[in-house]
Amino acid sequence: MQDPISIAAEKIRKLEVQGARNVAITAITATETLANQTKARNKKEFLKELMKAKETLFASRETEPLMRNAIRLIINQLEKGTEKNVGRLAETVSTASGQFLKDLENSKERIADIGARRIKNHFTILTHCHSSTVTCLLKKARKDGKVFEVICSETRPVFQGRTTAKEMLELGVKTTFIVDSAMRFFMNHVDLVIVGADAITSEGNVINKIGTSMVALAAQEARIPFYVVSELLKFDPATMYGDYEKIEERDPAEIWKEPPTNLIIRNPAFDVTRRDFIHGIICEEGIISPHSITEVMHRKYPWVFE
Amino acid sequence: MQDPISIAAEKIRKLEVQGARNVAITAITATETLANQTKARNKKEFLKELMKAKETLFASRETEPLMRNAIRLIINQLEKGTEKNVGRLAETVSTASGQFLKDLENSKERIADIGARRIKNHFTILTHCHSSTVTCLLKKARKDGKVFEVICSETRPVFQGRTTAKEMLELGVKTTFIVDSAMRFFMNHVDLVIVGADAITSEGNVINKIGTSMVALAAQEARIPFYVVSELLKFDPATMYGDYEKIEERDPAEIWKEPPTNLIIRNPAFDVTRRDFIHGIICEEGIISPHSITEVMHRKYPWVFE
Amino acid sequence: MQDPISIAAEKIRKLEVQGARNVAITAITATETLANQTKARNKKEFLKELMKAKETLFASRETEPLMRNAIRLIINQLEKGTEKNVGRLAETVSTASGQFLKDLENSKERIADIGARRIKNHFTILTHCHSSTVTCLLKKARKDGKVFEVICSETRPVFQGRTTAKEMLELGVKTTFIVDSAMRFFMNHVDLVIVGADAITSEGNVINKIGTSMVALAAQEARIPFYVVSELLKFDPATMYGDYEKIEERDPAEIWKEPPTNLIIRNPAFDVTRRDFIHGIICEEGIISPHSITEVMHRKYPWVFE
Amino acid sequence: MQDPISIAAEKIRKLEVQGARNVAITAITATETLANQTKARNKKEFLKELMKAKETLFASRETEPLMRNAIRLIINQLEKGTEKNVGRLAETVSTASGQFLKDLENSKERIADIGARRIKNHFTILTHCHSSTVTCLLKKARKDGKVFEVICSETRPVFQGRTTAKEMLELGVKTTFIVDSAMRFFMNHVDLVIVGADAITSEGNVINKIGTSMVALAAQEARIPFYVVSELLKFDPATMYGDYEKIEERDPAEIWKEPPTNLIIRNPAFDVTRRDFIHGIICEEGIISPHSITEVMHRKYPWVFE
Amino acid sequence: MQDPISIAAEKIRKLEVQGARNVAITAITATETLANQTKARNKKEFLKELMKAKETLFASRETEPLMRNAIRLIINQLEKGTEKNVGRLAETVSTASGQFLKDLENSKERIADIGARRIKNHFTILTHCHSSTVTCLLKKARKDGKVFEVICSETRPVFQGRTTAKEMLELGVKTTFIVDSAMRFFMNHVDLVIVGADAITSEGNVINKIGTSMVALAAQEARIPFYVVSELLKFDPATMYGDYEKIEERDPAEIWKEPPTNLIIRNPAFDVTRRDFIHGIICEEGIISPHSITEVMHRKYPWVFE
Amino acid sequence: MQDPISIAAEKIRKLEVQGARNVAITAITATETLANQTKARNKKEFLKELMKAKETLFASRETEPLMRNAIRLIINQLEKGTEKNVGRLAETVSTASGQFLKDLENSKERIADIGARRIKNHFTILTHCHSSTVTCLLKKARKDGKVFEVICSETRPVFQGRTTAKEMLELGVKTTFIVDSAMRFFMNHVDLVIVGADAITSEGNVINKIGTSMVALAAQEARIPFYVVSELLKFDPATMYGDYEKIEERDPAEIWKEPPTNLIIRNPAFDVTRRDFIHGIICEEGIISPHSITEVMHRKYPWVFE
């Protein structure tokens, strides 16, 4: 029987699980299962087991700061505590995991509450790709009685924009659907751009779905506010110490099923949007300037730097 | 039996013929056929017939300056001449049509010759959509022994980038294929951007495939030269007199075959790239600054203003 | 009894006549009167008289290219002609003057025709100061059935924006009135900026009412098209040869009637908008890029360089 | 007899009191009076009274962060303390109020000290509107023996620039007075722009008198340093949580006393200057980058977030 | 005995002659000598001799448009003429050569006259490298009684800025001398930047001494006018047809006499300043926008395109 | 016999010691010597002696924040402690000094570790001047097996670029050497710009060798990442309180040994690079946005503000 960590890591590696949030949930759940099934005889053995799990999960995909920060947090709590009983340590993992998932959910709602206030009646909002936090925010705005329109880019190669469009129509929002390269064409009719995030670097840059940096550029050119919604724990402490956020490249077949021989297909999944294009990051703390991200993290989640 | 003009206009209207060059060829050929079949008894009747043809063809699609300039040129030559014999007038149409098509071909080759010199060994060239003039230019460069790479964007919604990619591979050129919104991602590895044109306005702006203005913006941000290749007769004199270049919107099904109910799909086929993003227009006259386009036209093709 | 030229020059000097167009009309009318009253006995004397008139009129205000070009044109026609009879020469002055005024009027109408096509239904148009050509253009658009809104800046210190606002209300146009420094505040709701011109330099820059360059800057920042409407004869050939367009400074009392002692009040009437901020100059020739202005003048009015 | 809070709120509502500082002083003084006159029998009643006062004062004008932070601070001190005696609680209000006003005064002097060092001999300083902190800073620089010039914009519609000009002349400073739209005209002769602030948002943007953002734009275009002087307590914590800083619109009659029928007059009192235009905020802490404002507040005045 | 053309070509090749103007003079003089010594028996032989001379001279250095245009002009006059007598053809060469040199001198003076008017009293003018046309212009301004300062960059690697500095001091002009990389440091104290040109491309770009494009960038950043002085015949028609202006690389020893082994020293002599950085080209025709350069050439020197 | 502080101060004043790091080492060593030789009879006398030393050292050169922060730290530790025995206080100075030097060395290595990770294989890195931290970083990258190229500017007037070039060649790195004004010419072939720092201001601006801000400008224009490597203690707290970082002007003879009479030679040693040009500061804490520098200092080295 395969252990829960290997199964989870495998799913993550094979892209069966996608989106920073889902990856984190999968990894946490596996860690909790591991803890509950542990046969470790003492804290040392238990921690060793968890460190191995951490290693396996970290290796499963290039950069997933949310998942990594979650694992870091759980192990950190064990290490810091004085508890030595393995059973109770396993409970700690359970509690910490549950707390993390609950906090994550709370953060999303908090972000939706804050972000929804940025939407004024009759706004046209452009978004790229699909982000559950963005759609949660838009739902909240709708619930608050705001009337607005949404423009969705289709988001090649895997058309996540279609998911966004469907969710918007279900909300009863007037929705316009365009190809990615038409985003500049419609920009002067937009009041606000909102996108999600996969990772935030120590310089304050945001990694998100390929094309995000082009929208940001077009928004800046037309003086249109560009906001990122993100839980703070998408901050990647490794970037602090010089690592580049790795940009995952996906299967070329996503772009062209049966391409001609010798064609090189490049399919980077993300790009980097520099902090100066971003009006604010809407996070659980409120709306902040991306330039101050490391200090926010030091104040709020100092353990990510440990 | 339907007349040749109606048939041609219908084909153009239904988008069976596409690309500025093909539209022009179809219209000219139909005009030539009309002239050869004419039953007009005198110059007046003949001209009336041609004026009606002009009207029908002009109405077939919103803006097709190359086609319009071709028809303008042919009729202009009849009006100016002193010939009154209908048979010989029909011959004039034939000659003028043939000359126009030949000039068009010569222009393309001239542009290829000139543009090919802009390509240095080991350059990486990015292009968007498919333009027969761009690929002609790249073929010429290849024939001149230049070694270079090409990056093609797929060009949603109808993937003309695939045609470009295939042609490049046939040439033996190392070719990379990407989604449209990844163009900024790769921009810092590019030495030159070259695109085609559908129309040029009196202000010096260029209308081309949707997404062109986003590439131009990303190229400017990274200080990468951005060139447009175009026959001068894509200049649209109507813009001189205040008309906006109409941006054709195509069938939403090109973007999403079975979209959810109520979804608005916008499918503009072109966008406008402002003159300040364009390093030069490579035309049959050589490489010019787009800011001087009207004066170039006044010197070279003054009859387009008549 | 004072001669007509001195009277006109005096009126111009004392700012009793204002606006490039009115100054030109005053000067031309005076020149015509002078010619009709002449006591010159031969062409030489007549030309001498006119050259003196030219000198007096040119000295009446720092830069008035339209007026200067008008006088240049009239004298140029006399010099070029072979006519020697003083009576008939005076008639030539009369005819040329009349022709100039008629051409000026035609140019204005032509500009209005062309510019009106740039206005789409439901546009919001921002304008600064009062320009009879701008309001003529807006009237034309209205007459063509276009529905649009106008935002007028008040245009301190002499509130010419109030005149514009009144004219717009008379047209039945929805009109919003703001202070000059609020123009950036409203810019993102604007579709088009249109202003007049007092002079155009050989570099393609436009001299217009103080504040115009600030609107242009704010329009550029927000990617809003900025157009200048102007007769080509506002081109100032002296700038070709190195002269700066002189910026007239007006009475400080316009700004503050009873200022505190020692306060320096600076009241420049105009500022310079660089060609790169201007999408197009809408002139009697059509819409042109300001960068090509000298070549347009060489083609159309070569005599201004003589 | 009306209670002091209602009177103060009324004055603020009717714009009888103006300027962030004066509004704060009025509200604090009223709160102090309320506390001194209280008939509350216990802490609970006393706090209830104060909470009602807070509500009334907060409702008196859309956004007045300085006033709001002052009231927050006073109530916060009561709530945190263990004191239960109403008399002594009233004294606490008195002390806290007095302390706040003294701190405010100290901050102003501290800002003046710091800012004055930024002025070098023979500088030309441009300022917009009237800010007592700016003039305090300039007085300090003068007292330090610096020789400099000042350019004041008149600041339509209510000419606060005239107050600034008079104060400068009284200081013996060479002062130039211009219309608002001439600020770009003179920008290349300016060494430093200094303006005040009404509010600072969590993104680091500054709300100040209408026109401030246009000066900032013109300063940036000409690479001229642009500084904001402001007490940190003008930071508005509500912006952290998504609220927009409300832009007050004032009486149209300020702009045009007897406007034509149907004219819409828009009179926004403030505009927003984005953080990227601001070289530094000169505050009681020293000169800071606006991008770090929330972290500065968390370190220095954490209670504003409570 | 070596022929005059080979001697001249050799001098040019070995950089014994430098500066676009001196190279042109050397080539013309050699051509004149060749013509005077000719032993050709008929026009055909004579032209053949000249064509060979042209080839040799053109091959002597990569791009020297002024020299090339001079030779083109001379041969063009022979070809067009009907004269067949070799003696009289030689005289034509002599006359054309003399005329060219005289025109060149006149152009310089004309440029100086025009440019000098751009200098106002108390201006600070920054220049880079040494250009005889720039110093001629400054001499003219001085002669006109203008009082101004000059900042000279030293212009590594061969310190041509020292020549400029000496010439300025001889004129009695207050002169400041700085290292090249300090140009941005002083830019905000500059009123005008003026530089020379080695070549002008069909796009309107200017090739000049290495570093020119960095000054242009720094000037643009600070909104300081940047002018190029140049005879129109520095226009290079080959760029029209796709050729890049070749950037000559000089002897590494100019930069470091005894460099360490393996060090690659790159010593490009020129760089390219894009048209959008250039406020105007001050040429014999007046001040023009670089964007219209090809049309100016077509009007004024159409033979360069032949 | 001269005291160690005067000797050190003299060396610093005469520029015998150069570079922020060397100046700090010299000052610390002298302070340690002073402490070891002290004849003070009690803490009060000892502190007085040190305060005098501080004054002398601070006066030795305009701004040397690293040195000043070092001295501040040492005295701060004495003042804070309760130790009263002079001998043990002297030991404290010794320990603190040693610790500071060790920390400095550790910081450099830490910076090298972090920065080296930013270098990818086949990168071309441009650097200006010589910085021991930059070369330490490049050595680390080399040691990590990275293959990269370096472009060094010569850095007039004293050619520190030659030192950099030699060190790179010794490392076996392919090295290209250019004049300072050629940096823009090569910028499009650069992947990363890295420079050192002499001081960091509270606004987040960096003071470094003259020319640094020009490279930064050229890098920004071409979208090339620009990083500064610096120990955090180069932060200058005086800038917080309004002082400008003084820009030292060096001996004119560095620029021109025997200049002509009356020539003004300006030789500023440093310039200011605004925070917005800097992608990140690589410091001992990791890579941070310069905009948050004061908060980083408050968290990490709060004593610099005392």
Side-chain angles (χ1 to χ4, degrees), chain D residues 16-69:
Chain D
E16 285 169 30
V17 189
Q18 286 192 15
R21 173 179 292 271
N22 291 333
V23 167
I25 292 171
T26 302
I28 291 167
T29 311
T31 309
E32 202 184 339
T33 308
L34 176 80
N36 290 337
Q37 297 172 353
T38 189
K39 282 174 182 142
R41 279 160 310 175
N42 51 41
K43 188 175 180 178
K44 203 182 153 191
E45 282 184 25
F46 187 63
L47 274 176
K48 205 178 149 190
E49 222 173 0
L50 283 172
M51 293 312 281
K52 202 172 142 270
K54 179 183 168 182
E55 218 171 280
T56 309
L57 290 167
F58 277 32
S60 65
R61 202 167 315 154
E62 295 256 11
T63 42
E64 284 292 344
L66 187 62
M67 178 261 271
R68 290 177 180 213
N69 286 332

Side-chain angles (χ1 to χ4, degrees), chain A residues 110 114 117-118 120 123 227 275-276 278-279 285-292 295-296 299, chain D residues 202-205 238-245 274-276 290-292 294-295 298-299:
Chain A
R110 182 110 180 87
I114 294 167
R117 292 196 205 142
R118 287 272 127 176
K120 298 186 184 173
F123 259 29
Y227 283 90
R275 63 179 180 241
D276 301 309
I278 302 169
H279 279 225
E285 269 286 283
I287 305 180
I288 60 163
S289 167
H291 305 69
S292 64
E295 293 315 297
V296 174
R299 180 167 52 74
Chain D
S202 76
E203 294 172 26
N205 302 336
T239 58
M240 193 79 192
Y241 309 123
D243 282 0
Y244 280 96
E245 202 59 41
R274 290 253 306 136
R275 61 178 180 241
D276 301 309
H291 305 69
S292 63
T294 51
E295 294 314 296
H298 269 290
R299 178 168 52 75

Side-chain angles (χ1 to χ4, degrees), chain D residues 218-287:
Chain D
Q220 189 199 47
E221 187 204 13
R223 204 186 126 196
I224 304 301
F226 177 94
Y227 284 90
V228 168
V229 297
S230 175
E231 294 80 13
L232 284 172
L233 286 172
K234 285 187 183 159
F235 176 85
D236 184 352
T239 58
M240 193 79 192
Y241 309 123
D243 282 0
Y244 280 96
E245 202 59 41
K246 294 288 174 6
I247 301 295
E248 187 188 328
E249 287 225 19
R250 302 202 185 212
D251 187 356
E254 283 182 2
I255 293 182
W256 196 344
K257 284 252 168 66
E258 302 187 358
T261 320
N262 290 328
L263 185 65
I264 302 159
I265 295 179
R266 294 287 306 272
N267 187 12
F270 307 108
D271 65 13
V272 181
T273 301
R274 290 253 306 136
R275 61 178 180 241
D276 301 309
F277 293 96
I278 303 169
H279 280 226
I281 297 180
I282 305 176
C283 63
E284 63 269 36
E285 270 285 283
I287 305 180

Side-chain angles (χ1 to χ4, degrees), chain C residues 63-112:
Chain C
T63 41
E64 285 290 345
L66 187 62
M67 178 261 271
R68 291 178 181 213
N69 286 332
I71 304 299
R72 265 184 205 111
L73 174 63
I74 292 164
I75 293 180
N76 186 280
Q77 292 196 359
L78 293 185
E79 284 176 337
K80 272 189 177 161
T82 53
E83 183 56 60
K84 300 212 167 160
N85 178 284
V86 172
R88 282 197 287 275
L89 284 170
E91 269 171 45
T92 306
V93 170
S94 236
T95 317
S97 301
Q99 191 58 43
F100 187 91
L101 294 176
K102 206 175 144 195
D103 286 353
L104 203 61
E105 203 49 36
N106 287 345
S107 289
K108 184 155 93 171
E109 273 167 36
R110 183 110 180 86
I111 291 169

Side-chain angles (χ1 to χ4, degrees), chain D:
Chain D
M1 193 193 80
Q2 228 193 338
D3 70 296
I5 295 299
S6 305
I7 294 169
E10 198 61 16
K11 275 189 191 162
I12 296 169
R13 185 177 304 111
K14 290 186 173 164
L15 301 174
E16 285 169 30
V17 189
Q18 286 192 15
R21 173 179 292 271
N22 291 333
V23 167
I25 292 171
T26 302
I28 291 167
T29 311
T31 309
E32 202 184 339
T33 308
L34 176 80
N36 290 337
Q37 297 172 353
T38 189
K39 282 174 182 142
R41 279 160 310 175
N42 51 41
K43 188 175 180 178
K44 203 182 153 191
E45 282 184 25
F46 187 63
L47 274 176
K48 205 178 149 190
E49 222 173 0
L50 283 172
M51 293 312 281
K52 202 172 142 270
K54 179 183 168 182
E55 218 171 280
T56 309
L57 290 167
F58 277 32
S60 65
R61 202 167 315 154
E62 295 256 11
T63 42
E64 284 292 344
L66 187 62
M67 178 261 271
R68 290 177 180 213
N69 286 332
I71 304 298
R72 263 182 207 114
L73 174 64
I74 291 165
I75 293 179
N76 185 281
Q77 292 196 358
L78 292 183
E79 284 176 337
K80 272 193 176 158
T82 55
E83 184 55 61
K84 299 212 165 157
N85 177 284
V86 171
R88 282 196 288 275
L89 285 170
E91 271 171 43
T92 305
V93 170
S94 234
T95 317
S97 301
Q99 189 59 44
F100 187 90
L101 294 176
K102 208 175 141 194
D103 286 354
L104 203 62
E105 202 50 36
N106 287 343
S107 288
K108 185 154 93 172
E109 273 167 35
R110 182 111 181 87
I111 291 168
D113 278 0
I114 295 166
R117 292 198 205 142
R118 286 273 128 177
I119 294 175
K120 296 187 185 173
N121 262 327
H122 309 302
F123 260 29
T124 295
I125 295 146
L126 186 148
T127 190
H128 181 60
C129 196
H130 178 264
S131 149
S132 67
T133 314
V134 169
T135 55
C136 180
L137 184 165
L138 294 172
K139 273 175 201 165
K140 182 63 175 58
R142 191 79 180 118
K143 220 167 141 186
D144 293 350
K146 304 276 180 66
V147 177
F148 55 89
E149 289 187 36
V150 167
I151 301 179
C152 305
S153 60
E154 60 174 15
T155 318
R156 282 284 292 163
V158 277
F159 298 107
Q160 293 95 330
R162 294 189 177 183
T163 309
T164 305
K166 283 173 192 163
E167 290 183 19
M168 288 303 106
L169 289 172
E170 276 161 25
L171 271 185
V173 168
K174 185 175 167 188
T175 307
T176 300
F177 192 79
I178 59 175
V179 297
D180 302 321
S181 71
M183 289 191 287
R184 186 178 179 276
F185 185 90
F186 290 98
M187 193 54 81
N188 265 12
H189 300 287
V190 167
D191 297 292
L192 197 62
V193 180
I194 313 180
V195 298
D198 282 86
I200 306 174
T201 77
S202 76
E203 294 172 26
N205 302 336
V206 164
I207 281 77
N208 193 46
K209 181 58 54 196
I210 188 77
T212 301
S213 76
M214 278 184 91
V215 198
L217 182 62
Q220 189 199 47
E221 187 204 13
R223 204 186 126 196
I224 304 301
F226 177 94
Y227 284 90
V228 168
V229 297
S230 175
E231 294 80 13
L232 284 172
L233 286 172
K234 285 187 183 159
F235 176 85
D236 184 352
T239 58
M240 193 79 192
Y241 309 123
D243 282 0
Y244 280 96
E245 202 59 41
K246 294 288 174 6
I247 301 295
E248 187 188 328
E249 287 225 19
R250 302 202 185 212
D251 187 356
E254 283 182 2
I255 293 182
W256 196 344
K257 284 252 168 66
E258 302 187 358
T261 320
N262 290 328
L263 185 65
I264 302 159
I265 295 179
R266 294 287 306 272
N267 187 12
F270 307 108
D271 65 13
V272 181
T273 301
R274 290 253 306 136
R275 61 178 180 241
D276 301 309
F277 293 96
I278 303 169
H279 280 226
I281 297 180
I282 305 176
C283 63
E284 63 269 36
E285 270 285 283
I287 305 180
I288 60 164
S289 166
H291 305 69
S292 63
I293 188 74
T294 51
E295 294 314 296
V296 174
M297 293 307 291
H298 269 290
R299 178 168 52 75
K300 188 82 182 166
Y301 303 107
W303 50 263
V304 302
F305 297 101
E306 283 166 15

